[in-house]
Amino acid sequence: MQERATVGRGAATRQRRADAERSIEAILDATLKETPANGELNMSAIARAAGVSRVTLYTHFPTREALVDAALQRGFAQTQQALSELALEDGPPRQVLAQLLRSSWQVVERHRNLYMVASANLPPAQLRAYAEPVLGRVERLLARGRSEGEFRADLPLDWLVATVYTLMHLGAQQVATGRASADRAGELVSLTIMTLLTSPPGCGRIEPQASL
């Protein structure tokens, strides 16, 4: 009898854990999809969209900041997944960069409202830290392009990577504030980045230790 009771408690615990995981997944998905353009994240609206109670929502995410933080990590993970499907080490660097920008922009644009909320609720250093795995891929591609003479080498590599990051989020902000359509902003972001990275006439390579 005791053994049956122990087995029963174990099964109940696993069921509760599975239920909790499903609730968390539903909440994060709803946050990514339902964050409004005005940046006002409504916890009750998120709970309704996720199909859970407010009590369940606050059990898993006690504060707005905790929810934004977790959803943002999920958003960047999706960006990383999208980029992992690209062969960044193969092909002409300019062509690969164009593919990378298209894939990145699709994810950034999809979650632009959440990024606006995150910018208002989380420290800039924390936001940048979540982007580091993605930016690492960008940096490796730019470094390869510089070594092959495809991209400019008169500016520090870390500055160029930071500029790519900033321009992507500037594009998302333009869409969120209604100053540009998603398609137009994506075109402008890609054109600006590609133009910026093109080596100017007479541009020579710089030594790796050069930095700001």
Side-chain angles (χ1 to χ4, degrees), residues 149-163:
E150 291 287 317
F151 300 138
R152 66 189 303 162
D154 61 327
L155 294 175
L157 182 59
D158 58 349
W159 174 258
L160 295 177
V161 172
T163 302

Side-chain angles (χ1 to χ4, degrees), residues 110-127:
R110 190 183 312 140
H111 303 321
R112 65 180 183 274
N113 293 339
L114 176 63
Y115 293 149
M116 297 304 103
V117 174
S119 297
N121 288 273
L122 301 176
Q126 188 171 346
L127 298 180

